[in-house]
Amino acid sequence: MGEFDLIQQFFQSRSRELFPSFHADGSAAFAQIVQGIGDDCAIVQPPAAMQWAISSDMLVQGRHFLPDCDPYRLGHKALAVNLSDLAAAGAQPLGFTLAMALPAADAAWLAPFSEGLLALAAEHRCPLLGGDTTKGPLTLSITVFGQIPAGQALLRSGANVGDDIYVSGCVGEARLALDVQLGHVPIDNPVLRQHLIDRIEMPQPRLALGQALRGLATAAIDLSDGLMGDLGHILSASGVGAQVVADAVRQTSTIWHDPQLAAWSLERQNHYGLSGGDDYELAFTAPASLREQVAHAARQSHTPVHRIGQIVAGEGIELRDAHGNALPHAIRSFDHFNE
Amino acid sequence: MGEFDLIQQFFQSRSRELFPSFHADGSAAFAQIVQGIGDDCAIVQPPAAMQWAISSDMLVQGRHFLPDCDPYRLGHKALAVNLSDLAAAGAQPLGFTLAMALPAADAAWLAPFSEGLLALAAEHRCPLLGGDTTKGPLTLSITVFGQIPAGQALLRSGANVGDDIYVSGCVGEARLALDVQLGHVPIDNPVLRQHLIDRIEMPQPRLALGQALRGLATAAIDLSDGLMGDLGHILSASGVGAQVVADAVRQTSTIWHDPQLAAWSLERQNHYGLSGGDDYELAFTAPASLREQVAHAARQSHTPVHRIGQIVAGEGIELRDAHGNALPHAIRSFDHFNE
């Protein structure tokens, strides 16, 4: 199968089904797409008074995913990690481009890959606009576009002293899943094992929460490299410090009630939530006066959020136990070139 | 050097110098950039009444460039091939993202790479908005954004029977340069040799011409995979055929006057212009009634254009010699998975 055939078969035709320009009644479905896949550029008509949010992420085989990774799940995850950046900005998806290097034009791999990718795209009304296909070591590079009412983007730089610090969902589970996948941690309970594998392979971008937090959150980031490191980006961009309660982070996840894991030391359990990456949850800050509104945004977006600490003057993160005692920590963010 | 340090040193700081938000007099320089490099997303304020053009291209080492490729020139070319897609749409650049996999954080390579990349970005006022860096086989994935007044994008689908077919610049030189680089064709004349190497390593995206052709060209494409194949995309998108004069294509380039190359058969010379890729010139169609206006657009944009044939009813390309006799050809577009 040639390059143009495979684009046509697995991406262009299916995208046209999923993302028609017009509904059956003739009303505009995705009126912003003037020209989609199949020209030198995609042409998009932006809605008035909206700003654009743009983000790019690249996934490399052997680095971001294992060679035997299920292609449907890989398609899902490749887009999910990009949508997560839109979520962290409070943006609503508009579309994405996909550039990929493939070792071969393998229909048995491309069919489920494109299915997983486009299923998530359809769920979030985020049409595939175009891209590039070439031969090479399996590499997926996605750029996503979203829209935000002018001035309402959630940035990393707005956290203020006294703000609460929150995370969505459960942090640390994806990192434990990696240890399970690599065979470092055997898990006896098959339900727990599958839950963990789902958490690393099928992350759910928190788009509804991100949009619900516009006007409430003072700063936000998505958790890709680990809480301590990613929260550190908010702190340095905002010129503030943080106190984080380790127990509150651990308690975002119920997996520690499993008898096998409950037998671990607290320090070992805490490690996952504090420094584990790949969660694609949101960490954000909001004034303590807005706790009720934040809880409402969480309910409205069907997304659990947990308060894990607060912003203080100074810099860096002070880690505390449940009794307010300082805990030592030497946790840094994941860095592809310093491991 | 870590991932965040290298982004900071080679891309973020330099971009801020090249693309300040405000001029020294306080007026907006690139007012559309609300948030550039360093957050989850770049945030961009689009000008009113403009449509966006978006395109992604991926370059893989060993496939699109040789391992010993000069990093400054690679930085230039990686952005140039993307800007060429904006040129083909008639768009004006707004910015770009860069996702890259690097085998190592090598400052001696990154410094000239970022310099070549950002020099071309500055020349075309196309700021770096963000991106991603990871470890892996050297792979560069760029997404470019441009703007076009609503409804004025040049597409592939508008060619009409009777239209003239043009190409900009000289076609075929980049393909000959590849043969020189690979040692298949030794070139005696050192000036010619350097000219050819420059043509493949430092393509000049035809942005000024593309914008000048708005309202004149009925269809356009950039030449990346070879004239016959790329023109074929216009024909199939427009539902028409073409007559192309092989001599007119060859005569776009003066290299065939070089004594060494002039000794080659016409068939061998023609091959380069007709099926060679990597030129990043524009092929476009325009009504015969607009020849003067096309010539004016070419002068205004300081870009030579050459008429090479015309659109006819039917499908596919009839190749002719200077006397109007049909020439046999079996030339198809480059395809990464059918070589």
Side-chain angles (χ1 to χ4, degrees):
Chain A
M1 184 182 298
E3 179 182 355
F4 299 107
D5 295 330
L6 78 86
I7 292 171
Q8 167 65 31
Q9 179 174 346
F10 293 115
F11 296 98
Q12 195 164 353
S13 310
R14 185 79 182 112
S15 282
R16 284 189 180 150
E17 284 167 32
L18 287 170
F19 306 109
S21 294
F22 298 97
H23 293 296
D25 64 1
S27 65
F30 294 87
Q32 69 273 18
I33 306 176
V34 179
Q35 167 70 47
I37 303 172
D39 213 295
D40 294 277
C41 293
I43 307 295
V44 178
Q45 174 72 58
M50 286 287 192
Q51 291 180 338
W52 280 54
I54 301 167
S55 186
S56 294
D57 264 316
M58 181 180 264
L59 274 70
V60 177
Q61 177 172 290
R63 185 128 205 106
H64 300 91
F65 56 93
L66 301 174
D68 61 354
C69 182
D70 176 81
Y72 182 96
R73 292 181 156 226
L74 181 60
H76 173 100
K77 185 166 179 175
L79 182 58
V81 305
N82 277 279
L83 289 174
S84 181
D85 283 310
L86 291 186
Q92 176 190 342
L94 277 177
F96 72 106
T97 61
L98 167 68
M100 54 183 174
L102 300 171
D106 175 3
W109 186 92
L110 277 164
F113 171 80
S114 62
E115 209 182 315
L117 180 89
L118 294 176
L120 186 67
E123 183 185 336
H124 292 288
R125 294 178 63 90
C126 185
L128 176 60
L129 298 175
D132 192 21
T133 316
T134 184
K135 202 167 179 174
L138 186 54
T139 306
L140 306 165
S141 179
I142 286 180
T143 301
V144 283
F145 317 95
Q147 60 180 6
I148 313 176
Q152 293 190 33
L154 306 180
L155 303 178
R156 298 178 180 177
S157 51
N160 298 309
V161 173
D163 280 356
D164 293 323
I165 304 171
Y166 297 85
V167 294
S168 67
C170 317
V171 297
E173 296 184 351
R175 182 66 185 80
L176 179 56
L178 180 63
D179 280 353
V180 172
Q181 285 185 326
L182 295 174
H184 299 163
V185 175
I187 293 282
D188 306 329
N189 179 340
V191 175
L192 174 59
R193 186 186 162 87
Q194 188 57 49
H195 169 79
L196 292 173
I197 300 299
D198 289 349
R199 286 284 290 150
I200 194 168
E201 292 186 342
M202 296 288 281
Q204 300 301 326
R206 298 303 196 180
L207 287 155
L209 177 64
Q211 291 167 62
L213 289 173
R214 289 179 196 156
L216 301 177
T218 49
I221 191 169
D222 77 316
L223 296 178
S224 54
D225 295 340
L227 175 61
M228 298 293 270
D230 288 328
L231 179 57
H233 292 311
I234 286 185
L235 302 182
S236 52
S238 300
V240 293
Q243 283 178 353
V244 170
V245 181
D247 298 272
V249 176
R250 189 184 65 253
Q251 287 161 4
T252 62
S253 169
T254 57
I255 61 171
W256 308 112
H257 300 306
D258 176 87
Q260 183 191 354
L261 302 179
W264 290 7
S265 71
L266 274 191
E267 193 186 348
R268 186 176 177 193
Q269 293 180 5
N270 284 344
H271 170 76
Y272 286 96
L274 294 171
S275 70
D278 244 9
D279 281 315
Y280 301 102
E281 296 293 347
L282 299 186
F284 61 96
T285 58
S289 60
L290 295 179
R291 279 183 196 171
E292 265 184 46
Q293 289 90 327
V294 169
H296 179 73
R299 282 193 306 274
Q300 186 192 10
S301 60
H302 307 289
T303 312
V305 305
H306 305 274
R307 198 145 42 82
I308 59 159
Q310 60 197 152
I311 296 295
V312 297
E315 59 180 32
I317 299 174
E318 292 170 42
L319 201 58
R320 306 263 167 163
D321 69 13
H323 309 292
N325 301 314
L327 289 172
H329 72 93
I331 290 162
R332 56 180 179 71
S333 182
F334 180 78
D335 184 318
H336 285 289
F337 297 102
N338 273 328
E339 290 164 75
Chain B
M1 181 182 298
E3 180 181 351
F4 300 107
D5 295 331
L6 78 85
I7 293 171
Q8 166 65 31
Q9 179 174 344
F10 293 114
F11 296 98
Q12 196 164 354
S13 311
R14 184 80 181 113
S15 282
R16 285 190 180 150
E17 285 167 32
L18 287 171
F19 306 109
S21 293
F22 299 96
H23 292 297
D25 65 1
S27 65
F30 293 88
Q32 70 273 18
I33 306 176
V34 180
Q35 168 69 47
I37 302 172
D39 213 295
D40 293 276
C41 293
I43 308 295
V44 178
Q45 174 71 58
M50 286 287 192
Q51 291 180 337
W52 281 54
I54 301 168
S55 185
S56 293
D57 263 317
M58 181 179 264
L59 275 70
V60 177
Q61 177 172 291
R63 185 126 205 108
H64 300 90
F65 56 92
L66 302 173
D68 62 353
C69 182
D70 175 81
Y72 181 97
R73 290 180 158 226
L74 181 60
H76 172 99
K77 184 166 179 175
L79 182 58
V81 304
N82 277 279
L83 289 174
S84 180
D85 283 310
L86 291 186
Q92 176 192 342
L94 277 176
F96 72 107
T97 61
L98 167 68
M100 54 183 174
L102 301 170
D106 175 4
W109 187 91
L110 277 164
F113 172 79
S114 62
E115 209 182 314
L117 180 88
L118 295 175
L120 186 67
E123 182 184 337
H124 292 289
R125 295 178 63 89
C126 185
L128 177 61
L129 298 173
D132 192 21
T133 316
T134 185
K135 203 166 178 174
L138 185 54
T139 306
L140 306 166
S141 179
I142 286 181
T143 302
V144 284
F145 316 97
Q147 60 181 5
I148 313 176
Q152 293 189 32
L154 306 179
L155 302 178
R156 298 178 180 177
S157 51
N160 298 309
V161 173
D163 281 357
D164 293 324
I165 304 171
Y166 297 83
V167 294
S168 68
C170 316
V171 296
E173 296 184 352
R175 182 65 186 80
L176 180 56
L178 180 62
D179 280 353
V180 172
Q181 285 184 326
L182 294 174
H184 299 164
V185 174
I187 292 282
D188 306 328
N189 179 340
V191 175
L192 173 59
R193 186 186 162 87
Q194 188 58 49
H195 169 79
L196 291 173
I197 300 300
D198 288 350
R199 286 285 289 151
I200 194 168
E201 291 187 345
M202 296 288 280
Q204 300 301 326
R206 298 302 196 181
L207 288 155
L209 176 64
Q211 291 167 63
L213 289 173
R214 288 179 197 155
L216 301 177
T218 49
I221 191 170
D222 78 316
L223 296 178
S224 54
D225 294 340
L227 174 62
M228 298 293 269
D230 289 328
L231 179 58
H233 293 312
I234 286 185
L235 302 183
S236 52
S238 302
V240 293
Q243 284 180 353
V244 169
V245 180
D247 298 273
V249 175
R250 188 183 67 252
Q251 287 161 4
T252 62
S253 169
T254 57
I255 60 171
W256 309 112
H257 300 307
D258 176 87
Q260 182 192 352
L261 302 180
W264 289 7
S265 71
L266 274 190
E267 193 187 348
R268 185 175 178 193
Q269 293 179 5
N270 284 344
H271 170 75
Y272 286 95
L274 293 171
S275 71
D278 243 9
D279 281 316
Y280 301 102
E281 295 294 348
L282 300 186
F284 61 95
T285 57
S289 59
L290 295 179
R291 281 183 194 170
E292 266 185 43
Q293 289 89 327
V294 169
H296 179 74
R299 282 193 304 275
Q300 185 192 9
S301 60
H302 306 290
T303 312
V305 304
H306 304 273
R307 198 146 42 82
I308 60 159
Q310 60 199 151
I311 296 295
V312 296
E315 59 181 31
I317 299 174
E318 292 171 42
L319 200 57
R320 305 264 166 160
D321 68 13
H323 310 292
N325 302 314
L327 288 173
H329 72 94
I331 291 162
R332 57 181 178 71
S333 183
F334 179 78
D335 184 318
H336 284 289
F337 297 102
N338 272 329
E339 291 164 74

